[in-house]
Amino acid sequence: MFTIKDVKASIDEKEILKGISLELKPGEVHAIMGPNGSGKSTLAKVIVGHPDVEDPEGEICIDDKNILDLEPDERANEGVFLAFQYPVDIPGVNNAEFLRMAYNAKQKYHGKEEIDPFDFNELVKDKLKVLKMKERFLERPVNHGFSGGEKKRNEILQLLVLDPKVVILDETDSGLDIDSLKQVSEAVNYFKSQDKIILLITHYQRLLNYIVPDYVHIMNDGKVSKTGDKSLALTLEEKGYEGIES
Amino acid sequence: MSLKEFEAIANKEYEYGFKTDIKTELIEKGLNEDVIRLISEKNKEPEFVLEFRLKAYRHWLKMEEPEWPLVDYPKIDYQDIHYYAAPEKKEKLKSMDDVDPELKRTFEKLGIPLQEQKKLANVAVDAIFDSVSVATTYKDKLLKHGVVFCPLSEAVEKYPDLVKKYMGSVVPHTDNFFAALNAAVFTEGSFVYVPKDTVCPMELSTYFRINAEDTGQFERTLIICEENASVSYLEGCTAPMFDKNQLHAAVVELVALDNADIKYSTVQNWYAGDPKTGKGGIYNFVTKRGKCLGKKSKISWTQIETGSAITWKYPSCILMGDDSIGEFYSVALTNHHQQADTGTKMIHIGKRTKSTIISKGISAGKSKNTYRGLVQINKSAKGSENFTQCDSMLIGPNCTANTFPYIDVRNASSTLGHEAATVKVSEEQILYCQQRGISLDDALTTIVNGFCSDVFKELPTEFAVEATQLLSLKLENTVG
Ligand SMILES: Nc1ncnc2c1ncn2[C@@H]1O[C@H](COP(=O)(O)OP(=O)(O)OP(=O)(O)O)[C@@H](O)[C@H]1O
Ligand SMILES: [Mg+2]
């Protein structure tokens, strides 16, 4: 269970989130849609503990544990994963080593043994196959010189390797070609079948053809203005945000 | 916590700041011709060395301390320094077993075993404690290959012709204020000679330890590589924590003949002074220069500079032989109140000479980090090439970085490439790592290591790991 309880947040002293509450159960896919600047990415930022967000109010709980006071790395190790809207690059840092470091950080957090490079290599290769990604991807610096789509796929690779409880995808579909979109959707559906909690931020109905959401929330000016099932996304596609609000 | 709260300063203590309690023989503070004669006498030097010293001293008296580096420090009182400090010993060492156990323990604690066949099994070590060498490992094995690796004082005695021919031939005593001072009072240092057609069979390394208070360390290193010979050499340095600044003014000279290849690496971790007040620490004012005398010779400098209160050094190459190559790979990290003004000089004289400069400056805390480099391509150096890349990384709002790349090209057939970038470690990068479960400290180290990766890969593998660990130690608690 993942609960967001009356979350309010400001950036640069401007209130962006004005009280958001959501409840996500294992195996559920929730889609968040909404106009540009309505606060979708800010919600993701609050959840992961981005330093831009000043003193957020409310509660964010995994099961019964409030993670809002934890450090970003602790939240990650508690099982929150965000595929970023704009993944940053880290020049000179080998992608495979970065992944292994992340994997081992989680192992350590949970008191488990670290994995050696050899076993890890096997683990990653399997995931690469799922995403039909080439191995040379691993030897490149993290996101450095990656195309837009490659960056997004790299996020999904990390997602598969780190195997979190709560998956948040911030516009991962934007900039992906049709084949990539299908692969990403397959990965997400796999997570759904594993009883994970999935929060999709997207602008397009297209993604929702591959990943069928249990709920669709419309966000407007820092609030959830409407909640419905998958048909809400279809109506939205037809009428636009203005049509739907009236 | 965020990068906005950079002010928080590392409390991590300097690991190597202990002092060894050992009876030390000192020459009284102060500098004059008598002191120089006394140093020479203690080393049982031949006449030509004393003359070398006195000539330098007389010249030094006429020189002014340089003021152009971008570093601030109160005037040094050159009469308030001991120019010679040596742990007392009975007689000349015959074998490693004669080394004072207290000294052995000291180096053991610093991670430098003075027993052969230990941790660094394929590295020969010359351990220098204050003004004297306490032990050199694998000397005999090296000598079987014709390679000489010994303290300079011993070389003066055993190989006077080589010393006479090359000492001061790359860095003359007239070169600069600190080089002149060094030539007058130098005490110890390493001597390496690799004969014709010989690949030195192991890594050579000198480890410098300053222990006594109020002393300066003035070592002098001379490496000569004959035709078709090659050697890889590494120096490491630490010092105890004292409230008063200590002067380290070394000179390193490299000579490469036809086809010779010298790789010189430094991992410098002198005491940097108190992190909060900036009190104490080493003034590291050194002159390092290599001469590519022979055709197709190559000299490569790699330096990881993390310590010292002030660093002032420009390891340089004089490319005289046609088709000779000079390289400079540098990581200079400054934190807290440290100041560094460092870079290189590449002087192209021979035809088709090539040089590469890759410099990575990282500043954190309230530190000041300057890259200063000169690429000079003379008229004679037809068809020469240089590539320079100097990048700076800033961690936090209170540090500064400067770059001064001077270029002087005097012919039309040469080419130059230059790249420079200043990057800030961004909150986004840190958050990205943290979101993947990596802690703040590890995230910063990872990002900085990535930034330095082009330089680290030039280090001998034995030391690459050490260098990365050193950086992570230095960066601990820098953010957050
Ligand atoms: N670092 C920041 N500094 C100032 N304002 C910010 C910052 N980050 C977000 N905002 C503002 O907060 C509001 C919400 O931004 P957010 O990125 O959450 O929107 P979004 O719903 O994700 O939009 P999009 O669909 O375009 O991605 C916007 O008005 C934006 O300008
Ligand atoms: Mg957004």
Side-chain angles (χ1 to χ4, degrees):
Chain A
M1 184 80 140
F2 185 60
T3 36
I4 299 169
K5 240 182 255 165
D6 199 23
V7 165
K8 292 181 185 147
S10 304
I11 296 180
D12 274 349
E13 288 172 26
K14 187 178 149 217
E15 189 173 47
I16 311 279
L17 298 183
K18 302 173 178 168
I20 303 252
S21 298
L22 294 173
E23 230 181 68
L24 297 82
K25 297 198 183 75
E28 282 180 0
V29 174
H30 291 238
I32 295 191
M33 305 181 84
N36 296 132
S38 55
K40 304 181 297 296
S41 292
T42 304
L43 178 62
K45 280 184 180 173
V46 176
I47 296 171
V48 301
H50 196 293
D52 274 357
V53 183
E54 296 138 18
D55 309 318
E57 292 170 41
E59 269 179 41
I60 295 174
C61 302
I62 299 181
D63 299 324
D64 289 327
K65 185 166 183 174
N66 188 359
I67 60 165
L68 203 55
D69 292 328
L70 298 183
E71 293 296 318
D73 49 318
E74 293 169 326
R75 301 184 195 200
N77 289 322
E78 286 291 335
V80 177
F81 182 97
L82 168 64
F84 286 87
Q85 183 172 5
Y86 306 109
V88 295
D89 50 344
I90 311 177
V93 176
N94 175 288
N95 210 12
E97 275 170 36
F98 180 79
L99 260 176
R100 191 163 68 89
M101 194 182 323
Y103 187 90
N104 280 335
K106 184 178 166 194
Q107 292 290 101
K108 214 169 133 193
Y109 187 84
H110 293 286
K112 290 188 201 154
E113 235 174 85
E114 297 189 6
I115 194 169
D116 67 60
F118 194 77
D119 293 341
F120 186 70
N121 208 10
E122 295 302 304
L123 186 144
V124 175
K125 272 188 196 163
D126 286 347
K127 310 294 180 195
L128 280 172
K129 266 185 218 139
V130 176
L131 291 169
K132 299 197 174 67
M133 282 164 76
K134 299 226 166 62
E135 271 180 47
R136 62 178 168 79
F137 225 67
L138 293 173
E139 296 316 314
R140 294 172 59 181
V142 181
N143 294 330
H144 191 63
F146 285 24
S147 75
E150 283 172 338
K151 284 187 188 175
K152 297 285 173 86
R153 292 164 62 107
N154 199 32
E155 296 290 285
I156 302 302
L157 176 65
Q158 296 179 357
L159 169 64
L160 292 182
V161 169
L162 296 176
D163 192 33
K165 288 186 200 157
V166 179
V167 181
I168 306 162
L169 303 183
D170 192 356
E171 296 196 31
T172 302
D173 53 332
S174 309
L176 284 184
D177 62 41
I178 296 289
D179 290 354
S180 305
L181 189 66
K182 275 188 193 158
Q183 284 152 18
V184 168
S185 307
E186 271 166 34
V188 172
N189 284 328
Y190 165 78
F191 273 96
K192 179 175 161 72
S193 73
Q194 296 295 303
D195 264 356
K196 308 279 179 176
I197 290 155
I198 296 151
L199 189 60
L200 292 179
I201 298 172
T202 183
H203 284 296
Y204 305 107
Q205 157 61 27
R206 192 182 58 176
L207 178 70
L208 305 181
N209 288 335
Y210 300 106
I211 306 169
V212 182
D214 299 288
Y215 296 93
V216 173
H217 310 280
I218 309 286
M219 207 157 145
N220 237 323
D221 191 23
K223 282 193 188 130
V224 175
S225 59
K226 229 181 185 91
T227 293
D229 60 10
K230 62 181 180 193
S231 63
L232 182 57
L234 288 168
T235 323
L236 181 66
E237 180 99 334
E238 216 176 286
K239 297 187 177 159
Y241 289 112
E242 285 189 9
I244 209 169
E245 294 298 335
S246 55
Chain B
M1 266 191 275
S2 81
L3 294 188
K4 285 174 194 147
E5 300 158 50
F6 268 126
E7 284 310 280
I9 288 203
N11 295 316
K12 176 88 186 174
E13 272 185 41
Y14 179 66
E15 231 188 320
Y16 305 116
F18 65 90
K19 178 174 193 281
T20 307
D21 257 324
I22 193 160
K23 264 214 156 140
T24 303
E25 184 191 347
L26 290 167
I27 291 183
E28 287 214 5
K29 281 183 184 175
L31 185 56
N32 52 51
E33 293 203 2
D34 289 342
V35 166
I36 291 169
R37 280 177 215 279
L38 203 54
I39 294 172
S40 188
E41 201 174 293
K42 294 234 181 252
N43 290 339
K44 303 194 179 73
E45 288 168 358
E47 193 58 27
F48 83 90
V49 181
L50 178 62
E51 274 164 29
F52 178 89
R53 290 176 181 280
L54 290 173
K55 206 159 86 193
Y57 175 66
R58 289 169 195 149
H59 187 79
W60 179 74
L61 287 175
K62 290 183 259 165
M63 296 177 96
E64 298 275 345
E65 209 167 317
E67 280 176 5
W68 50 264
L70 271 190
V71 294
D72 304 316
Y73 58 92
K75 272 251 168 285
I76 298 170
D77 180 357
Y78 291 93
Q79 298 305 334
D80 193 31
I81 297 172
H82 293 288
Y83 287 86
Y84 183 91
E88 276 185 8
K89 61 180 174 191
K90 290 128 232 157
E91 255 315 297
K92 276 248 175 234
L93 299 175
K94 278 184 199 68
S95 83
M96 217 53 75
D97 303 331
D98 296 342
V99 177
D100 188 317
E102 190 57 39
L103 287 177
K104 267 194 198 163
R105 268 197 295 278
T106 299
F107 281 98
E108 200 79 42
K109 233 165 126 179
L110 297 169
I112 313 293
L114 295 185
Q115 278 138 306
E116 298 177 1
Q117 316 303 349
K118 267 247 170 128
K119 199 173 84 188
L120 298 168
N122 51 344
V123 181
V125 179
D126 184 12
I128 296 183
F129 191 86
D130 290 331
S131 307
V132 297
S133 166
V134 286
T136 311
T137 62
Y138 294 109
K139 239 167 125 172
D140 299 339
K141 188 178 165 191
L142 289 165
L143 217 44
K144 277 192 199 116
H145 292 83
V147 176
V148 179
F149 178 40
C150 68
L152 186 61
S153 60
E154 194 179 317
V156 161
E157 208 177 298
K158 291 187 177 159
Y159 314 95
D161 294 344
L162 282 173
V163 175
K164 214 174 194 166
K165 183 169 175 191
Y166 290 111
M167 189 168 75
S169 75
V170 186
V171 181
H173 67 267
T174 48
D175 191 83
N176 69 68
F177 184 82
F178 297 110
L181 179 63
N182 174 287
V185 303
F186 71 90
T187 42
E188 218 47 292
S190 295
F191 175 80
V192 177
Y193 175 79
V194 189
K196 212 171 153 178
D197 302 322
T198 307
V199 175
C200 181
M202 42 174 43
E203 295 278 340
L204 304 184
S205 141
T206 301
Y207 193 87
F208 296 99
R209 172 73 176 168
I210 297 179
N211 190 63
E213 210 163 344
D214 291 334
T215 56
Q217 193 170 44
F218 304 94
E219 87 273 3
R220 201 171 174 102
T221 296
L222 177 58
I223 300 178
I224 303 151
C225 238
E226 293 276 9
E227 285 165 42
N228 299 313
S230 71
V231 68
S232 168
Y233 176 95
L234 181 125
E235 64 166 41
C237 347
T238 57
M241 301 191 273
F242 292 129
D243 279 350
K244 253 174 110 172
N245 296 98
Q246 281 176 290
L247 179 62
H248 173 250
V251 168
V252 175
E253 298 179 282
L254 314 180
V255 180
L257 298 173
D258 286 2
N259 270 313
D261 185 338
I262 302 177
K263 184 172 177 58
Y264 191 107
S265 316
T266 306
V267 176
Q268 188 261 106
N269 186 20
W270 294 120
Y271 177 52
D274 186 274
K276 290 201 184 73
T277 61
K279 231 178 162 184
I282 301 286
Y283 290 163
N284 191 33
F285 300 157
V286 303
T287 307
K288 293 183 168 177
R289 192 173 304 153
K291 214 181 221 176
C292 283
L293 262 183
K295 278 184 227 139
K296 295 195 172 155
S297 56
K298 177 176 169 189
I299 288 179
S300 178
W301 299 100
T302 305
Q303 60 170 21
I304 312 296
E305 301 285 322
T306 67
S308 296
I310 303 178
T311 297
W312 179 94
K313 71 182 265 207
Y314 314 90
S316 307
C317 298
I318 303 175
L319 305 170
M320 296 178 76
D322 290 346
D323 301 290
S324 59
I325 296 172
E327 294 175 339
F328 175 74
Y329 301 101
S330 167
V331 166
L333 170 85
T334 53
N335 199 353
H336 311 305
H337 297 269
Q338 284 177 279
Q339 309 176 50
D341 192 307
T342 181
T344 184
K345 281 190 266 186
M346 292 290 175
I347 313 292
H348 294 250
I349 297 168
K351 294 190 193 72
R352 299 172 303 277
T353 46
K354 268 191 201 148
S355 62
T356 304
I357 299 171
I358 296 188
S359 159
K360 307 274 178 176
I362 303 145
S363 1
K366 294 183 175 144
S367 68
K368 221 191 227 179
N369 203 322
T370 300
Y371 168 82
R372 190 186 298 276
L374 168 69
V375 176
Q376 180 182 321
I377 301 186
N378 287 3
K379 205 166 170 202
S380 56
K382 300 261 173 349
S384 292
E385 285 172 35
N386 163 266
F387 173 75
T388 299
Q389 181 180 348
C390 43
D391 297 336
S392 325
M393 179 179 256
L394 301 174
I395 306 175
N398 299 321
C399 52
T400 48
N402 298 291
T403 42
F404 299 109
Y406 303 100
I407 295 168
D408 176 5
V409 184
R410 303 175 190 170
N411 71 53
S413 59
S414 295
T415 55
L416 285 154
H418 187 96
E419 286 174 15
T422 301
V423 296
K424 274 195 102 137
V425 176
S426 69
E427 289 188 346
E428 297 298 331
Q429 280 176 320
I430 300 258
L431 180 86
Y432 189 79
C433 295
Q434 283 188 292
Q435 211 309 294
R436 298 306 180 241
I438 298 165
S439 71
L440 189 67
D441 276 343
D442 288 348
L444 186 64
T445 310
T446 303
I447 295 165
V448 172
N449 274 328
F451 176 71
C452 301
S453 59
D454 288 346
V455 174
F456 284 164
K457 67 172 191 270
E458 298 296 329
L459 277 180
T461 35
E462 284 88 347
F463 301 103
V465 180
E466 193 183 310
T468 10
Q469 284 169 350
L470 187 60
L471 274 201
S472 72
L473 205 84
K474 293 273 158 177
L475 287 168
E476 222 161 68
N477 302 324
T478 306
V479 291

